[in-house]
Amino acid sequence: MAGFLTTHVLDTARGLPAAGLHVTLYRLEGRAREELARTVTNDDGRTDSPILPQAEFAPGQYELVFAAGEYLRATGQAGAEPLFLDEVPIRFGINDAESHYHVPLLLSPFGFSTYRGS
């Protein structure tokens, strides 16, 4: 079985999945950053398919960038500009080509957290 990468975004301030949040995936090589995928979360706060599917999955350094500011503005949670959180980057490593990597984001206007999920 080959691995794959997924995400899930929860709006902890509203207690709801974060629907309509744009996510971009990059592969990092030294100082270089290559865009691999762009997607948007569905009504459940998930993407409709893996961000990095089995056919493209490989060990390495990656970055997910969540368009939190755009989402917070759209949901009326933004507050005054400049926002405390706008783009939220999460850098992580994949070292097991056979595993499922799940990188969720718990988001509010003034904080976020992440972890390796299942």
Side-chain angles (χ1 to χ4, degrees):
M1 176 176 164
F4 58 101
L5 172 65
T6 58
T7 193
H8 185 197
V9 185
L10 297 174
D11 181 333
T12 58
R14 298 188 319 153
L16 297 169
L21 194 145
H22 292 260
V23 182
T24 307
L25 173 67
Y26 298 92
R27 181 173 173 94
L28 307 173
E29 298 264 349
R31 294 188 182 270
R33 191 171 114 164
E34 175 189 4
E35 183 178 314
L36 298 181
R38 285 182 180 258
T39 190
V40 63
T41 58
N42 60 26
D43 289 343
D44 193 36
R46 300 176 186 276
T47 58
D48 289 330
S49 59
I51 298 171
L52 192 58
Q54 292 178 348
E56 301 169 36
F57 194 79
Q61 291 288 328
Y62 293 88
E63 180 179 59
L64 282 169
V65 178
F66 297 87
E70 178 183 289
Y71 169 80
L72 294 169
R73 287 181 191 96
T75 58
Q77 300 180 77
E81 297 284 342
L83 300 183
F84 181 69
L85 294 176
D86 197 350
E87 288 192 342
V88 174
I90 299 174
R91 290 189 173 190
F92 59 96
I94 291 175
N95 62 19
D96 182 354
E98 303 299 315
S99 289
H100 172 200
Y101 282 75
H102 183 67
V103 182
L105 179 69
L106 305 177
L107 176 66
S108 77
F110 299 103
F112 69 91
S113 65
T114 191
Y115 55 94
R116 181 173 174 192
S118 57

